[in-house]
Amino acid sequence: MSDIVVIDRMRPRRENQPMTVDGDAGGMEILQKSGAIVSALEELGEATAQTLAARTDEPVSSTYRLLSSLREIGWVDPAPRRGYFRLGVRLVRIGSLLEDQVNVRDACKPALEELRRRTNATAFLCFLRSDTAVCVERLDGRDVHSLAMRLGDSLPLFRGAAPLAILAFVAESEREAILARLSDRRRNGEAIPSDASLREAIASTRSRGYSLSDEDVTPGIGAIGAPVFNHRGELEGAISVSGLRNQILSGQLPVPQLTMQAADDASRALGYRKELIAG
């Protein structure tokens, strides 16, 4: 039986068609091997059959046969370098369609709900928009219902926990462009912290892994923020939690760790895998 026939097993079984247990088991095995090759190419970008065989612990001859089948259905294409393979255009298109269908707010909401539950404070999701952070989701906490940062409201990137997390973890080139624009606005008379102060806050935030807001938006209110990344490793936005200062910043609850965990959960929901990006 050729490998390509197994792909046909993905079609729905017709009513009253007998199920062959051994065949289905074999089909699942080949699908698992196909998934291992796709995962390896996702991580490596391009690879030879020999490299893929070593990665998947399969004989080179079997790997060549499976690559041939995957080429026929568009999941794998030859790379420009002779003897190398990469993910197929058809598979990439499918991934793009799935990406377009992902609702970031919906994907992040379970993490926000868990953060609110564990802190009893107000949880936010913010996106970068024109040198500001815009609130796209807000879940009110039990203890304090602040009027600051309602849905659709925005804050400058140097005020508030989520805005600072966005400024600190956005790509370096974009961050430098933002700092340059803030510098121009400062020279034009706007009340913006000095460049040295902003860079110190950015460095501290990146070193800790989270941002901190201590009454810089609302008196008596503290907040912690952390970045959310998408499947490409790009900054998607930031999650923050805000409440009474002594509740958020006193250390009685591990709010920074809970916030970073929520941001990590949201990032994973968007397909982010730190080990793959780092690799």
Side-chain angles (χ1 to χ4, degrees):
M1 180 177 64
S2 67
D3 290 342
I4 194 65
V5 173
V6 175
I7 301 301
D8 289 339
R9 294 182 181 274
M10 297 171 65
R11 299 172 182 168
R13 186 166 53 93
R14 293 190 299 273
E15 187 176 356
N16 298 325
Q17 179 181 350
M19 179 181 292
T20 57
V21 176
D22 292 341
D24 286 348
M28 180 57 68
E29 181 181 0
I30 292 183
L31 286 175
Q32 290 172 343
K33 293 177 180 179
S34 299
I37 286 181
V38 168
S39 296
L41 288 174
E42 180 185 9
E43 179 180 351
L44 299 172
E46 297 180 355
T48 63
Q50 290 82 358
T51 298
L52 293 170
R55 278 295 187 106
T56 58
D57 196 25
E58 291 292 329
V60 174
S61 58
S62 299
T63 302
Y64 267 117
R65 287 196 297 272
L66 189 51
L67 283 168
S68 178
S69 296
L70 293 174
R71 284 184 60 184
E72 290 187 45
I73 60 173
W75 287 17
V76 168
D77 285 338
R81 287 191 290 175
R82 184 177 177 85
Y84 280 73
F85 298 87
R86 63 185 179 188
L87 292 180
V89 172
R90 184 179 181 187
L91 189 61
V92 172
R93 286 174 179 167
I94 292 172
S96 297
L97 289 173
L98 291 174
E99 178 186 353
D100 291 342
Q101 294 172 6
V102 170
N103 185 305
V104 175
R105 287 175 60 186
D106 289 347
C108 295
K109 195 165 183 178
L112 285 177
E113 291 173 337
E114 179 67 7
L115 180 61
R116 177 179 64 174
R117 185 189 70 80
R118 299 188 69 179
T119 62
N120 290 320
T122 301
F124 301 87
L125 174 65
C126 296
F127 292 164
L128 175 64
R129 294 289 185 272
S130 301
D131 293 354
T132 66
V134 177
C135 177
V136 298
E137 188 62 84
R138 169 181 170 140
L139 302 179
D140 284 326
R142 183 186 66 184
D143 300 327
V144 178
H145 289 190
S146 171
L147 295 179
M149 208 57 167
R150 294 166 296 188
L151 278 176
D153 287 350
S154 63
L155 283 173
L157 297 177
F158 48 84
R159 291 182 59 208
L164 181 56
I166 289 174
L167 179 60
F169 288 96
V170 73
E172 183 178 4
S173 59
E174 189 169 2
R175 182 168 62 248
E176 290 301 318
I178 291 170
L179 290 173
R181 290 193 293 270
L182 291 178
S183 180
D184 290 340
R185 289 166 54 189
R186 189 185 306 111
R187 284 194 294 268
N188 289 331
E190 291 190 44
I192 295 174
S194 68
D195 186 73
S197 176
L198 289 176
R199 290 184 183 278
E200 181 179 356
I202 289 168
S204 297
T205 298
R206 291 180 63 86
S207 175
R208 290 191 303 258
Y210 64 89
S211 59
L212 187 152
S213 170
D214 189 358
E215 300 185 289
D216 65 335
V217 176
T218 304
I221 298 296
I224 299 292
V228 175
F229 299 98
N230 62 27
H231 70 286
R232 298 191 187 94
E234 302 163 339
L235 183 78
E236 190 70 46
I239 278 178
S240 65
V241 62
S242 171
L244 292 173
R245 184 182 184 279
N246 61 0
Q247 172 193 15
I248 300 297
L249 305 180
S250 66
Q252 295 177 1
L253 279 176
V255 180
Q257 289 73 23
L258 293 174
T259 306
M260 288 189 291
Q261 182 62 58
D264 286 347
D265 291 344
S267 298
R268 282 195 296 273
L270 295 174
Y272 177 67
R273 298 294 183 270
K274 183 176 181 179
E275 64 276 11
L276 296 183
I277 299 298

